[in-house]
Amino acid sequence: MSHARDRGGDHWPIRPFRNRASGAGSAARKRAAAQLAAAAPVLPVLIVCVVVLVDIACGAGTIWLPLLAAGPALAATTSAPRGVLGVGLLAAVLGFTLGTRDGVPGHELTAVLSALAAVTLASGLASALRGRRERVLAAVRSVAETAQHALLKPVPATVGPFQVAVRYSAAAAEARIGGDFYALVPTPYGVRLIVGDVRGKGLPAVGTAALVLGVFREAAYDEPDLFAVVDRIERSLARNLGSDDFVTAVVAGYPRAGHLEVVNCGHAPPLLVRASGTVVAVEPARPAPPLGLRALTGETPSLQVLPFADGDQLLLYTDGVTEARDHGREFYPLAEGLARHIHEEPADTLTALHDELLAHVGGRLHDDAALLLLRKPAVSPDEATVPEPASPWETNPSSGSVVRGAR
């Protein structure tokens, strides 16, 4: 204590408090001023002022006075009810002043002011209803964002030996969530991922996507064979989907260094980008039905094993990308766009692709769209490998990949 007094310690503890208090007060005043400026109906007030100036310049009396009602009417679209009533009161005072100045008959001036009051009250009610709808929409957006974060968990920039990037756009911008889904998880059997599209829209599609992702995340950790993962999803959908519902999906895995497994269930073929820049569509060796329809067709998907070397990339996507049309009804050429924008950073590639896609459709997508890009950088010393399965493989001469039939 004595040491503090020697250095003027009786006062220095108080100064920071005062500075903080004054700083907090200044910040509060600035916030209040910013909110007031944001809520102030500037344009409606300007319209009222213009009407007043025109009336003063022309001296036309009741010809211009009814236009004062445009002020509160416009304020209803941007301001709170308090702002609308303020603009209406301002317009009424100015209208009464101008009417008296111009010698407008009393009954005409009363009619003008009564109409102005009616428009102001109606505009105030409309403003209150608009504010209520905005609050409800904000709550819906908050719930949708929470659901999206729970359903489509953020994917880190690096997963296992891969660089990863994801872009997702829901057609319903207000909801920010749709029927497209993706997941990428590291497992004891290597990195595994899924990208798919649920038939239909709205909450039922979201529920089906949640079902698929839940089963996938569990099976990916439990099942050593990628076919077993797909089979578990198929069985779950067969129990829970209606007869007309289905899910298209691509399930992929990286069980050992240099090899990528792909199972395509009625989905758009992934695009494989070699280190040289060549883009190749990974067409399924044997067409298979979407998930949920296997019992109707009896067809089973095939598993393709692709060589996946350092520098190679794999793009998985949904049909909201390839079926996006411009004003001339032309589809977006995804393979060509990918070849143009390929980059060593997957995030940069998808950003360029997404921007070009939005420019192609004129700014807004009409269907949900998901993009997931994997890139295999140089081999790291601690890269985990899994022993090669003992199941028989056979080579697909047309694609150069290795194909195994479902068990």
Side-chain angles (χ1 to χ4, degrees), residues 258-260 272 274 305-309 312 399-402:
H259 295 83
L260 190 70
L272 178 63
R274 294 300 183 189
V305 180
L306 310 172
F308 203 69
D312 289 350
S399 63
S401 62
V402 180

Side-chain angles (χ1 to χ4, degrees), residues 291-307:
L291 294 168
L293 298 181
R294 186 185 300 181
L296 299 178
T297 63
E299 296 290 335
T300 57
S302 61
L303 184 145
Q304 296 173 272
V305 180
L306 310 172

Side-chain angles (χ1 to χ4, degrees), residues 210-254:
L211 173 64
V212 173
L213 289 177
V215 176
F216 169 77
R217 289 180 178 128
E218 287 295 324
Y221 279 98
D222 295 342
E223 303 292 347
D225 188 88
L226 196 63
F227 267 132
V229 177
V230 176
D231 287 342
R232 281 180 57 171
I233 299 174
E234 177 69 33
R235 291 195 301 270
S236 179
L237 290 178
R239 291 193 302 267
N240 293 280
L241 288 188
S243 57
D244 296 332
D245 296 329
F246 59 85
V247 177
T248 66
V250 171
V251 183
Y254 188 72

Side-chain angles (χ1 to χ4, degrees), residues 65-88:
L65 291 183
L67 292 179
L68 291 172
L74 180 61
T77 64
T78 58
S79 304
R82 185 183 305 175
V84 175
L85 295 178
V87 174

Side-chain angles (χ1 to χ4, degrees), residues 84-373:
V84 175
L85 295 178
V87 174
L89 179 61
L90 175 64
V93 171
L94 293 176
F96 177 79
T97 303
L98 291 176
T100 304
R101 169 186 173 275
D102 296 336
V104 177
H107 66 280
E108 294 184 8
L109 183 59
T110 301
V112 170
L113 295 179
S114 298
L116 181 58
V119 171
T120 300
L121 292 177
S123 300
L125 178 60
S127 175
L129 294 176
R130 176 185 56 80
R132 181 179 179 182
R133 287 194 299 270
E134 288 179 350
R135 289 190 294 272
V136 171
L137 180 59
V140 171
R141 284 179 172 174
S142 176
V143 172
E145 288 179 352
T146 303
Q148 185 185 39
H149 287 308
L151 179 63
L152 303 178
K153 297 180 180 180
V155 175
T158 302
V159 178
F162 297 111
Q163 296 173 298
V164 187
V166 175
R167 291 300 295 264
Y168 178 85
S169 298
E174 292 79 8
R176 304 180 186 178
I177 192 169
D180 291 3
F181 60 88
Y182 59 83
L184 188 146
V185 292
T187 74
Y189 313 105
V191 174
R192 286 176 170 175
L193 61 113
I194 184 172
V195 171
D197 186 2
V198 178
R199 177 186 178 275
K201 304 289 181 185
L203 291 179
V206 175
T208 302
L211 173 64
V212 173
L213 289 177
V215 176
F216 169 77
R217 289 180 178 128
E218 287 295 324
Y221 279 98
D222 295 342
E223 303 292 347
D225 188 88
L226 196 63
F227 267 132
V229 177
V230 176
D231 287 342
R232 281 180 57 171
I233 299 174
E234 177 69 33
R235 291 195 301 270
S236 179
L237 290 178
R239 291 193 302 267
N240 293 280
L241 288 188
S243 57
D244 296 332
D245 296 329
F246 59 85
V247 177
T248 66
V250 171
V251 183
Y254 188 72
R256 58 194 185 281
H259 295 83
L260 190 70
E261 298 179 348
V262 177
V263 178
N264 192 328
C265 299
H267 198 74
L271 296 179
L272 178 63
V273 185
R274 294 300 183 189
S276 61
T278 304
V279 178
V280 180
V282 184
E283 298 286 350
R286 183 172 66 248
L291 294 168
L293 298 181
R294 186 185 300 181
L296 299 178
T297 63
E299 296 290 335
T300 57
S302 61
L303 184 145
Q304 296 173 272
V305 180
L306 310 172
F308 203 69
D310 294 347
D312 289 350
Q313 304 188 47
L314 185 73
L315 177 67
L316 296 98
Y317 54 92
T318 59
D319 58 6
V321 179
T322 53
E323 294 181 1
R325 298 173 183 256
D326 60 10
H327 296 297
R329 308 299 295 170
E330 294 291 332
F331 292 112
Y332 175 67
L334 179 59
E336 298 174 10
L338 180 59
R340 283 193 300 270
H341 299 297
I342 198 66
H343 193 273
E344 290 186 357
E345 291 294 333
D348 294 341
T349 302
L350 291 195
T351 298
L353 272 179
H354 189 262
D355 292 345
E356 187 174 86
L357 177 64
L358 292 181
H360 180 82
V361 299
R364 181 170 182 176
L365 295 171
H366 299 288
D367 193 7
D368 304 329
L371 294 160
L372 190 151
L373 182 62

